Amino acid sequence: MQEDRFTPPPGAFTRSVPIRFSHCDAAGIVYFPHYFDMFNGLIEDWYSEELKRDYASLVMGNRFGFPFVHIECDFKIPSKMGEVIDLTLLVERIGRSSLSIVIVCHRDGLIRLRARMVTAMMSLETRKPLPLPEALRAAIEDYQRKTAT
Amino acid sequence: MQEDRFTPPPGAFTRSVPIRFSHCDAAGIVYFPHYFDMFNGLIEDWYSEELKRDYASLVMGNRFGFPFVHIECDFKIPSKMGEVIDLTLLVERIGRSSLSIVIVCHRDGLIRLRARMVTAMMSLETRKPLPLPEALRAAIEDYQRKTAT
Amino acid sequence: MQEDRFTPPPGAFTRSVPIRFSHCDAAGIVYFPHYFDMFNGLIEDWYSEELKRDYASLVMGNRFGFPFVHIECDFKIPSKMGEVIDLTLLVERIGRSSLSIVIVCHRDGLIRLRARMVTAMMSLETRKPLPLPEALRAAIEDYQRKTAT
Amino acid sequence: MQEDRFTPPPGAFTRSVPIRFSHCDAAGIVYFPHYFDMFNGLIEDWYSEELKRDYASLVMGNRFGFPFVHIECDFKIPSKMGEVIDLTLLVERIGRSSLSIVIVCHRDGLIRLRARMVTAMMSLETRKPLPLPEALRAAIEDYQRKTAT
């Protein structure tokens, strides 16, 4: 089906992940919580490499937190040890303090899984939501624009 | 709000999980992929203790797999190291080979997070869907009936 | 061999851990880093339940850290999904700020694996070693005495 | 001290690992079981990239297992989120079916931690030890020779 195919838009942030022994369960395929860990790693790299905001400094320095408030994920094709999968990050919606991200996991043009993850920026000190800082918001909007499909 | 409160229906399968050092991130709260690991553990225990089907035998003996095809989760209240949270499993819908489960994570009557997870039984040998065996289906239907809200 | 048998001394702190799907690798046996996570959980429970010092408060309240400086482990018998293993904690040596612990993982009187883990108490603020507080030291000495073999 | 300094011998297999949010505990430093997971990943990559034996095929195809029989590790300097550490693999001793590996984790010439890990090749079918296949042994001996210090 058409909806199972995916080509990242030009400029989209994509990273490859090798499926390791440690990702796999007794069936030799990825144990699903590991995907969410991969997604978090992708988001970290996107902040640091694409948005040029060092993720570790945001968390440990600024004491910003990015907890998820909503996650949904459709799993279509399992991934096996030794395969390499590609993860592409797209921005769906930018709120005042929230950010809705889509992560597509694909290989050879076929979608393996697809997640929508909504995060809300907060202060790790007060545990209250924080509006996205203006410069960060602008950088995310730029990324959203250049990867719009 | 009313929708944030939860009391498990009588007979519902609930297990308590202590939040450990290893679950927590640099903010001292649960790193979210660990919740999905807890959910998988709850489902295992539900099979073994409530449905009286040893999960390990289903997987390693019968070579049945229970991969997830869809997951959605709303995170409402973070959980901190040293807290104990309760996880309750409810059955939403039983298909031919699929099963839709709701897991509510709560404490003191308040919902911390709530997930809907759809699994589809398959053969680990052929990687094809399998219809739920009749006895297993009957046991799940019994559980659904007795915990209907 | 005699050295592969183990009976916990009276009063020793022992907890049972079910081997779950998520602990196991593509060979259906525990992926070894999970053992270290189980050991950390055992130590947490030992602090809270045996020594009556809430581990979460020590870390998040007092800002004490208990990093490991040395670990060694002999793996004798693998553990499979569905098995339940017993973990017993013994105290080997109490230093000024260091503590040497032995953890024996066993089942049916046979040693599965055996670890020696040396931790050194430190301040999470200054990252410097701290002498073990007197009351904590006394509690650990009591435990060591009552479980001496 | 001299013993805390390390320069990889020429030709040694070294991979860099970024310390991620998910590696870190409530103190913002790596939770130690993650190191062992990193080590396993390094060994996988060493098999595939240096020895030219695809690790996934060895496990899933040949049904070879490489369980650890002994591990020891000295932790010297903690690693923090956002840092990048280097892992270098050296071969210490090649037995009939066993292999003793040293992994040095370092940064800026200073040792962060150092592990010795002994693995014994086995059949995942019979669960019995297997002698290292001749070609694999030869490749490991070559590597040992070229990285001898």
Side-chain angles (χ1 to χ4, degrees), chain B residues 51-142:
Chain B
L51 304 181
K52 312 294 182 198
R53 261 80 187 164
D54 180 56
Y55 193 82
S57 305
L58 290 172
V59 174
M60 300 306 283
N62 300 47
R63 305 290 291 156
F64 293 155
F66 302 89
F68 291 102
V69 294
H70 178 75
I71 287 177
E72 55 191 72
C73 190
D74 288 293
F75 301 83
K76 294 170 189 294
I77 304 175
S79 293
K80 289 183 288 191
M81 197 192 316
E83 292 185 330
V84 175
I85 54 179
D86 293 320
L87 303 179
T88 296
L89 186 154
L90 298 171
V91 170
E92 194 182 62
R93 195 183 156 276
I94 310 168
R96 210 183 73 94
S97 66
S98 74
L99 181 61
S100 177
I101 279 171
V102 166
I103 293 177
V104 183
C105 170
H106 52 104
R107 185 187 147 110
D108 301 333
L110 283 177
I111 297 180
R112 296 256 165 142
L113 62 156
R114 187 183 184 282
R116 203 161 68 86
M117 303 173 82
V118 184
T119 181
M121 189 167 156
M122 62 171 258
S123 157
L124 293 182
E125 302 302 331
T126 64
R127 307 231 172 233
K128 301 267 183 246
L130 285 179
L132 291 165
E134 264 319 303
L136 179 60
R137 169 186 298 278
I140 298 174
E141 285 172 349
D142 277 355

Side-chain angles (χ1 to χ4, degrees), chain D residues 91-142:
Chain D
V91 170
E92 194 182 61
R93 194 182 156 276
I94 310 168
R96 209 183 74 95
S97 66
S98 75
L99 182 62
S100 177
I101 279 170
V102 166
I103 294 178
V104 183
C105 170
H106 52 105
R107 184 186 148 110
D108 301 332
L110 282 178
I111 297 180
R112 296 254 165 145
L113 63 156
R114 187 183 184 281
R116 202 162 68 86
M117 303 173 81
V118 184
T119 181
M121 189 168 159
M122 60 171 260
S123 157
L124 292 182
E125 301 302 332
T126 65
R127 306 233 172 234
K128 301 265 182 248
L130 284 179
L132 291 165
E134 265 318 303
L136 178 60
R137 169 187 298 276
I140 297 173
E141 285 172 349
D142 277 355

Side-chain angles (χ1 to χ4, degrees), chain C residues 65-69 97-99 118-122 129-130 132:
Chain C
F66 302 90
F68 292 102
V69 294
S97 66
S98 75
L99 182 62
V118 185
T119 181
M121 189 167 157
M122 60 171 259
L130 284 180
L132 291 164

Side-chain angles (χ1 to χ4, degrees), chain A residues 26-29 31-33 36-37 40 59-60 63 68-75 78 80 117 124 127, chain B residues 26-29 31-33 36-37 40 59-60 63 68-75 78 80 117 124 127:
Chain A
I29 59 174
Y31 176 55
F32 77 100
F36 295 107
D37 190 46
N40 209 66
V59 173
M60 300 306 283
R63 305 290 292 157
F68 292 102
V69 295
H70 178 75
I71 287 177
E72 55 192 72
C73 189
D74 288 293
F75 302 83
K80 288 182 289 192
M117 303 172 81
L124 293 183
R127 308 230 172 235
Chain B
I29 60 174
Y31 177 54
F32 78 100
F36 294 108
D37 190 46
N40 209 66
V59 174
M60 300 306 283
R63 305 290 291 156
F68 291 102
V69 294
H70 178 75
I71 287 177
E72 55 191 72
C73 190
D74 288 293
F75 301 83
K80 289 183 288 191
M117 303 173 82
L124 293 182
R127 307 231 172 233

